[in-house]
Amino acid sequence: MNRTNPIGFFDSGIGGLTVVRAVTNLMPNENIVYFGDTARVPYGSKSNDTVIEYSIQAANFLLRKNIKLLVVACNTASSVALNELRRFLTVPVIGMIEPGSQMALSESRNRKIGVIGTYATINNKAYSKQIKKLDPKAQVYEKACPLFVPLAEEGMTNHKAAELIAKEYLTELKDKNIDSLILGCTHYPLLSDTIQKVMGKKVKLIDSGTPAAKIVQDYLNGRQLRNNSVHEGQHEYYVSDLPAKFKAIAERFLGKKIKNIHKVELEELTNE
């Protein structure tokens, strides 16, 4: 494995860029290849079998880019497909559930933790199982918030509609006296201002991408796989649909111009 090989990321759309940003902040000289499955977003309303199938296709696509490590920058795929990916991939795989759970427990004072995510993540109880494994006394309250994904994808993160929907979703969690809230979908940090406004300043929002980025850093350091180039890393972006829309939203979110965006035909993913 070469130090200059890229780190691979995949997500159902643009949300995984929150994890890319966290990794880039820690290691700006790492090369990155990102795949957003924008033709089939969202994953959270799909069956487990379908999410596993899509995840394997995305992973195989990224393996052809000679990645040195795979980050499943999607909570739905992390909750459903992580074990399957780890079984057959020849590179290490890092997901979102374990880092987010550990961080929530470290930040919580009253051991009352909220989790919001897609239907798939919540129905699979991925976070509650992991949190209970780490701390059996913790109380976990989960809520599916499926409309947050299209709001993030459409760039309506601070729209009045987003606040109304957030109030509808989050009121029951506020009533549980939680003191930390896991944003259990990588799209959700785009809505963090709105979510914080609804939940109040006393609730700590947990973005799983931040601790996941630290795990990536520690892994690469421990195996002497950090890119030691003095130059900023090269980033390549691949999407399965609407590259122009992806570019517009990604630039607004990342706060910089991006290039090297390529459209991948679904046949290229499915004909493996």
Side-chain angles (χ1 to χ4, degrees):
M1 187 69 68
N2 195 308
R3 290 173 181 262
T4 60
N5 285 28
I7 303 170
F9 297 76
F10 81 84
D11 180 48
S12 62
I14 196 171
L17 291 174
T18 61
V19 190
V20 171
R21 182 181 63 181
V23 169
T24 302
N25 285 343
L26 284 178
M27 298 173 289
N29 53 346
E30 289 292 339
N31 298 316
I32 285 170
V33 179
Y34 180 91
F35 172 67
D37 198 1
T38 47
R40 303 185 293 197
V41 66
Y43 283 4
S45 58
K46 308 291 193 299
S47 70
N48 285 359
D49 287 345
T50 297
V51 173
I52 290 171
E53 179 184 357
Y54 290 175
S55 297
I56 291 172
Q57 290 171 3
N60 279 330
F61 173 78
L62 290 169
L63 282 177
R64 297 201 298 272
K65 305 299 179 184
N66 296 317
I67 60 173
K68 59 186 176 183
L69 180 149
L70 176 66
V71 179
V72 183
C74 171
N75 282 265
T76 298
S78 293
S79 68
V80 174
L82 198 66
N83 289 336
E84 191 72 20
L85 291 171
R86 283 174 171 165
R87 266 197 292 270
F88 89 88
L89 290 186
T90 56
V91 299
V93 183
I94 293 173
M96 297 293 107
I97 309 300
E98 295 168 9
S101 299
Q102 291 169 350
M103 185 175 181
L105 284 169
S106 69
E107 293 286 348
S108 178
R109 300 173 303 281
N110 65 8
R111 288 308 193 250
K112 293 183 178 182
I113 298 168
V115 181
I116 55 176
T118 63
Y119 282 127
T121 299
I122 300 304
N123 289 342
N124 283 290
K125 296 190 176 300
Y127 275 103
S128 60
K129 289 176 183 176
Q130 183 64 32
I131 291 168
K132 289 285 189 180
K133 181 180 176 181
L134 296 170
D135 184 353
K137 294 183 179 181
Q139 299 177 57
V140 185
Y141 305 95
E142 299 180 287
K143 177 70 176 179
C145 303
L147 290 178
F148 280 173
V149 171
L151 285 169
E153 294 281 342
E154 293 296 331
M156 298 175 65
T157 55
N158 292 303
H159 195 278
K160 186 67 176 176
E163 186 176 342
L164 290 171
I165 291 169
K167 286 179 179 177
E168 183 70 24
Y169 282 149
L170 301 176
T171 297
E172 66 183 75
L173 291 180
K174 285 186 69 175
D175 294 341
K176 300 296 185 182
N177 194 34
I178 63 171
D179 70 352
S180 62
L181 177 64
I182 296 174
L183 306 181
C185 173
T186 51
H187 288 70
Y188 292 4
L190 290 130
L191 291 134
S192 58
D193 288 346
T194 297
I195 293 169
Q196 191 76 73
K197 182 177 180 181
V198 172
M199 293 302 299
K201 295 180 180 179
K202 293 182 179 180
V203 176
K204 174 74 173 180
L205 301 187
I206 307 298
D207 173 4
S208 298
T210 301
K214 185 64 169 62
I215 289 174
V216 171
Q217 183 184 50
D218 290 345
Y219 179 88
L220 296 178
N221 284 339
R223 287 155 183 81
Q224 290 77 49
L225 284 174
R226 279 284 298 275
N227 191 334
N228 53 11
S229 169
V230 297
H231 302 291
E232 186 175 330
Q234 298 295 310
H235 292 197
E236 283 192 291
Y237 305 90
Y238 294 85
V239 295
S240 51
D241 200 14
L242 301 172
K245 179 180 177 181
F246 175 89
K247 184 177 188 293
I249 299 175
E251 287 182 344
R252 183 167 64 247
F253 171 59
L254 293 172
K256 64 179 182 180
K257 296 288 184 181
I258 63 172
K259 53 184 180 179
N260 299 326
I261 303 171
H262 314 279
K263 184 175 185 293
V264 181
E265 300 299 332
L266 287 177
E267 290 78 8
E268 188 177 346
L269 298 171
T270 56
N271 293 339
E272 282 295 317

